[in-house]
Amino acid sequence: MATLTSPVSISLENEKNPWLAAAARFDEAAKRLKLDDGMRKVLGTSSKELTVHIPVQLDDGRIEVFTGYRVQHSVARGPAKGGIRFAPDVTLDEVRALASWMTWKCAVVNIPFGGGKGGVICDPNILSDTELEKLTRRYTAEIIDFIGPERDVPAPDVNTNEKVMAWMMDTYSMHARHTVTAIVTGKPMALGGSRGRPEATGRGCMMVTQRALRLMGKRPEDTSVVIQGFGNVGGMAAKLMSEVGFKIIAIVEYDGAVYNPNGLDIIALQRHRKETGSITGFPGGEDMDKTEAMFLECDVLIPAATENVITSQNAHRVRCKILCEGANGPTTPLADEILAAQKVFVIPDILANAGGVTVSYFEWVQDRQGFFWNEQLVNKRLQEIMDESFDAIVEYAQQHNVNNRIAAYMVALDRVAVAIRLRGIYA
Ligand code: GLU
């Protein structure tokens, strides 16, 4: 099912399908906006979907063929923008959902991009560096006519990083016969990356959390935080938030959790993980069951790992006041209803984690100008965008008597619909 059809019915069996999760929110926002059927069809369907098969000669001489995707959900407001993930469980439905979330995310923060996403079905943990490089380069070559600085601009996502972006940039540039830095964002600084990009998603999470705290009249020093994920998003949010005084009482990872009610020393925990390979056994805290840690009583819970961690099966156990979604799609639609009944203040993913793509936009602008900003300017402009977007969504939610997530979708759908109406349908 490639179109977000209406009505969407979510049940226990399908609640974890990300495309249906995207569809349910889309459906509700479209209904409330009274979008006509034609516009719903346009907004509810990916603009382009590409499947590629990627042969790679492995280190032992065998040839393996991997499958990859790149989906452009919308280019109505500008080039498609969004990450590439490498994971064994990537599906086309997931990439479609993530591409549509990128369209809404870029519209929420009002940057001139559409939405796209890519994925390759592979297990990067069992591939050598050489194999990963070959996979990345051949994947880039297979999607090369699809992408471009004015067309579709990839970035890192789950299991991809600046090293992968450097390979993509080089491959694209070798084909173009000149260096094209603006083809990807999230690159190393030495290759046209932006200052502040590695921190941007975590920093954005912190900024919107601070904004929410202001509404509640609370200070960071009196605020306890539980973070799921200690990678680029969660790790960075933990570090930056502890620096400004938040008490990070637990970090939850795939292999365990660590807890300290007085606040963890995040730098020491990062060092411990580097030395031992795990956050468990950290002398500055106690090990805890990872499921229990997710449901500790806290002021702020930041799921910053994967999709579908808060579902109909566990949402009633969530004991936070603010849920700041660092990951894409961590909460299912059925869980939304439970959280609303519990009066949790949700900062939805398409707002909460938009700091990353916002600084990606800054990177793209700097690459195209060939003129680079200092970190202070990057962070100042990020702050302005996150604050404005947060305020606009919260105000919209109040005015229209909807929750923050539906408000964010409504604002986003409306902005994209305006662009489509102005452009018209070319036929
Ligand atoms: N993968 C990130 C996201 O989901 C960043 C995308 C980008 O910077 O283009 O928002």
Side-chain angles (χ1 to χ4, degrees), residues 228-249:
Q228 186 209 28
F230 204 47
N232 175 260
V233 182
M236 211 49 96
K239 178 172 166 287
L240 296 170
M241 290 175 87
S242 65
E243 275 169 15
V244 299
F246 284 92
K247 254 193 318 181
I248 316 293
I249 60 165

Side-chain angles (χ1 to χ4, degrees), residues 81-83 102 105 117 153 155-157 185 197 328 353 356-357 360:
K81 186 82 193 81
M102 288 309 301
K105 193 185 300 187
K117 202 81 178 195
V153 186
D157 198 75
T185 60
R197 178 64 185 86
N328 290 313
N353 70 38
V357 74
S360 276

